């Protein structure tokens, strides 16, 4: 949270009239909507969410026990903002951007004390600034004026803030500066430092939103192969307990070809979040060999933190994502879980005694969800560059029931749906993304990319796999009634082919060093190998070879080992040759 407002706070004090959990009502407070206020003798941070005559309602980001009527409320006159600048990567924040490590050292424990504030970025640390523009050049909002090596992986770009006028560069020099020192002076009188502030509830302006054309390559076959997400697109993962949600999210964070990862752990059970906080700093970044945290910002709100901080963490996260987008980076934002966020909204709304909508959620649930996902996108930036934010929101429907309001409203907004399935997880089929329920509306717009960058017939072979899986789903119903042997031979063969699609191609072992990442070329070639089996097998069947004999050829089960094969090119060539010769030998 920004420090600036403390100095700017004016004499607009009010008095607490009523406290109801995280919701506090004050009288005589001169405030505007969304102003940040300090509540009570301890100065707990809160935000104005309703004003009615002389009554101001505030949601408080900290535990309010012991706070009572008569205590003061002080208005900062500023909206809830984040501090933006070098140092956000490799940081772990709470929902109002207080760095957890700084808070811990201030208080000596992970259980956050109340009324403690800390700036979101280190104000004392010096950074090496290298100018990108020279004196006399004219710069406009969004233009990059210099760079700073923020981490071993990421170069931070210092930009003219979006709300500046811009002008001619009067002075700029290389050197070591803290984030608050001026690094550039403009003819307009404006001074640029490495520190920007931005109100979290307002999307940072960017140029036009464009139609995404490139996939966010995840290295996960079912995601890249069947249900791709675009760079700048939106996806949802509903994750019933134990379905592999954590592994799936970590795989995305590690392997997707995003430059920056913003991971919002929003109110999951305390121990799960502790896992994330402990795990992430240990994870290596396979793309660079550096720690993954060097390109990651973590926002962690466990469910034992107050609900209002949970409500704000989503906004804090997306604003940080937008800032890196403005530098021209591809950002992947993961929110886990948006259900907990919605529950926080529900709790605050009920304290406000608002008219409840479906299942007690506020009537504006759908609007809030869509405002959040709307901030994703591929953008033409003001400085001519291009940047993107891809948003992946996890949903945790109670009991795995997708008909509940958060899942339903999310489905209306996002264009990719990766449905994690507890049954598949139980059968140890991982990733447990259900291919019958999942979908991607980006497939068609990404086809040209796949044709150009992977293989000309990529969309066709993907469609072939989809058709086989669809047919399998229909046949399975019959099999359950009458058994596999009652099916005609060609259908039995289809089941054999679809088994390979499922077991060899859709399954992928996140814990195998080779299989954990599958480049799109390998994803394609694997499917081609299975199709080779399919084509050879059906020719043999047409020639009168019994289906058991075809299924029995030695080369077929080798399809299951392609995933873990390092020299996959040679391995696949060899399997295809063997399949061809072995099956043709049968007739
Ligand atoms: P959740 O977060 O949904 O409770 P996890 O992500 O912790 O579930 O996954 C539970 C277990 O499932 C993991 O410990 C792991 O053994 C297994 N698992 C999940 N995804 C994969 C995967 N892609 N590859 C291999 N094993 C997996």
């Amino acid at each position: 949270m920004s420090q600036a407002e403390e100095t700017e706070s004016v004499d607009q004090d009010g008095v607490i009239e009523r406290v109801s959990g995280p919701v506090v009502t004050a009288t005589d407070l001169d405030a505007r909507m969304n102003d940040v206020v300090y509540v009570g003798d301890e100065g707990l941070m809160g935000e104005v969410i309703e004003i009615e005559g002389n009554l101001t309602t505030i949601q408080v980001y900290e535990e309010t026990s012991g706070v009572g009527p008569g205590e003061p409320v002080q208005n900062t006159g500023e909206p809830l903002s984040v501090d933006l600048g070098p140092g956000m990567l490799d940081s772990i924040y709470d929902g109002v951007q207080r760095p957890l490590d700084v808070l811990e050292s201030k208080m000596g424990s992970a259980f956050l004390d109340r009324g403690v504030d800390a700036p979101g970025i280190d104000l004392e640390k010096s950074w090496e600034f290298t100018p990108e523009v020279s004196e006399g050049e004219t710069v406009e909002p969004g233009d990059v004026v210099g760079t700073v090596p923020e981490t071993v992986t990421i170069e931070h770009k210092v930009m003219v803030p979006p709300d500046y006028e811009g002008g001619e560069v009067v002075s700029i020099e290389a050197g070591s500066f803290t984030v608050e020192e001026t690094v550039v002076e403009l003819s307009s009188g404006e001074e640029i430092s490495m520190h920007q502030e931005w109100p979290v509830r307002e999307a940072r302006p960017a140029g036009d939103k464009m139609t995404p054309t490139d996939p966010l390559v995840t290295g996960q076959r079912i995601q890249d192969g069947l249900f791709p997400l675009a760079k700048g697109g939106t996806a949802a993962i509903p994750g019933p307990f134990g379905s592999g949600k954590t592994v799936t999210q970590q795989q995305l964070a590690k392997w997707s070809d995003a430059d920056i990862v913003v991971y919002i752990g929003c109110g999951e059970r305390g121990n799960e979040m502790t896992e994330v906080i402990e795990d992430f700093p240990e994870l290596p970044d396979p793309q660079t060999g550096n720690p993954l945290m060097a390109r990651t910002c973590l926002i962690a709100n466990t469910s034992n933190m107050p609900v209002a901080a949970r409500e704000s963490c989503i906004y804090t996260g997306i604003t940080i994502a937008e800032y890196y987008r403005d530098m021209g980076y591809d950002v992947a934002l993961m929110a886990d879980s948006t259900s907990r966020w919605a529950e926080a909204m529900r709790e605050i709304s009920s304290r406000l005694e608002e008219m409840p909508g479906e299942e007690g959620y506020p009537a504006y649930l759908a609007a809030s969800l869509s405002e959040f996902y709307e901030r994703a996108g591929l953008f033409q930036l003001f400085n001519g560059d291009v940047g993107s934010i891809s948003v992946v929101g996890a949903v945790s429907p109670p009991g795995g029931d997708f008909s509940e309001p958060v899942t339903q409203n999310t489905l209306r907004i996002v264009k990719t749906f990766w449905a994690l399935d507890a049954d598949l997880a139980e059968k140890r089929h991982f990733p447990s993304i259900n291919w019958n329920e999942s979908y991607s509306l980006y497939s068609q717009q990404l086809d040209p990319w796949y044709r150009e960058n992977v293989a000309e017939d990529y969309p066709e072979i993907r469609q072939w796999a989809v058709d086989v899986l669809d047919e399998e789903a229909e046949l399975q119903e019959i099999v359950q009634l009458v058994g596999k042997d009652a099916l005609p031979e060609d259908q039995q063969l289809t089941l054999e082919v679809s088994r390979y699609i499922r077991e060899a191609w859709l399954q992928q072992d996140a814990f195998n060093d080779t299989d954990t990442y599958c480049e799109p070329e390998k994803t394609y070639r694997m499917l081609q190998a299975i199709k080779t089996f399919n084509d050879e097998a059906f020719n043999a069947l047409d020639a009168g070879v019994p289906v058991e004999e075809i299924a029995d050829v030695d080369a077929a089960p080798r399809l299951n080992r392609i995933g873990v094969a390092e020299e996959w090119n040679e391995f696949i060539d060899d399997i295809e040759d063997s399949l061809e010769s072995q099956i043709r030998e049968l007739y």
Side-chain angles (χ1 to χ4, degrees), residues 240-247 428 430-431 508-511:
F241 179 71
S243 59
K245 193 174 50 158
T246 312
V247 176
R428 310 291 303 159
F430 290 116
Q508 189 172 351
D509 185 358
F511 300 108

Side-chain angles (χ1 to χ4, degrees), residues 42-329:
E42 287 177 85
L44 310 182
M45 196 166 122
E47 183 183 359
V48 173
I49 53 172
E50 201 175 76
I51 302 171
E52 231 187 289
N54 191 31
L55 274 189
T56 306
T57 308
I58 298 154
Q59 60 175 353
V60 182
Y61 294 117
E62 299 177 79
E63 183 52 53
T64 52
S65 55
V67 178
E71 289 184 40
V73 178
Q74 193 188 33
N75 187 12
T76 64
E78 298 262 325
L80 182 65
S81 306
V82 282
D83 291 307
L84 302 165
M88 291 193 291
L89 300 177
D90 204 12
S91 286
I92 306 182
Y93 294 121
D94 76 354
V96 286
Q97 209 207 4
R98 299 184 300 180
L100 290 189
D101 54 344
V102 177
L103 293 183
E104 264 180 51
S105 60
K106 274 191 179 179
M107 298 170 315
S109 118
F111 290 96
L112 305 186
D113 227 333
R114 303 189 302 183
V116 178
D117 203 356
I121 48 178
D122 191 335
L123 302 178
E124 269 132 54
K125 180 168 175 173
S126 292
W127 300 89
E128 279 310 310
F129 175 78
T130 307
E132 289 274 303
V133 293
S134 325
E135 287 168 14
E137 268 181 66
T138 301
V139 292
E140 291 175 7
D143 284 350
V144 175
V145 293
T147 60
V148 165
E150 180 171 0
T151 64
V152 280
T153 312
I154 295 295
E155 183 162 270
H156 192 100
K157 298 181 184 164
V158 180
M159 300 169 287
V160 181
D163 48 0
Y164 271 34
E165 228 174 82
E168 204 173 285
V169 176
V170 179
S171 91
I172 183 166
E173 68 188 277
S176 186
F177 299 94
T178 68
V179 293
E180 291 190 311
E181 284 174 313
T182 299
V183 289
V184 182
E185 285 176 46
L186 301 181
S187 56
S188 57
E190 290 167 320
E191 296 180 342
I192 300 169
S193 70
M194 298 181 227
H195 177 204
Q196 295 191 16
E197 269 176 55
W198 195 261
V200 296
R201 296 189 194 276
E202 203 179 299
R204 275 174 71 85
D208 291 335
K209 223 181 203 189
M210 301 184 292
T211 305
T213 52
D214 292 3
L216 183 79
V217 175
T218 66
Q220 312 303 305
R221 285 188 289 275
I222 183 160
Q223 280 150 308
D224 293 342
L226 288 187
F227 311 113
L229 170 61
K231 274 205 180 92
T234 51
I237 313 185
F241 179 71
S243 59
K245 193 174 50 158
T246 312
V247 176
T248 307
Q249 300 257 35
Q250 288 199 357
Q251 288 294 92
L252 285 176
K254 269 161 100 168
W255 292 110
S256 72
D257 61 348
D259 303 307
I260 306 279
V261 174
V262 177
Y263 191 102
I264 309 172
C266 177
E268 277 302 331
R269 278 176 301 279
N271 53 354
E272 280 182 25
M273 219 38 239
T274 318
E275 231 172 72
V276 172
I277 294 173
E278 280 168 6
D279 282 3
F280 257 83
E282 304 285 319
L283 295 178
D285 179 355
Q287 291 172 21
T288 59
N290 301 327
L292 189 59
M293 282 303 288
R295 57 184 180 92
T296 303
C297 176
L298 268 186
I299 296 161
N301 258 283
T302 57
S303 49
N304 50 17
M305 290 183 186
V307 284
R310 254 195 275 165
E311 195 269 340
S312 66
C313 65
I314 290 276
Y315 298 100
T316 298
I318 193 100
T319 309
I320 291 173
E322 285 173 340
Y323 180 65
Y324 285 98
R325 169 207 68 193
D326 290 348
M327 297 181 202
Y329 287 124

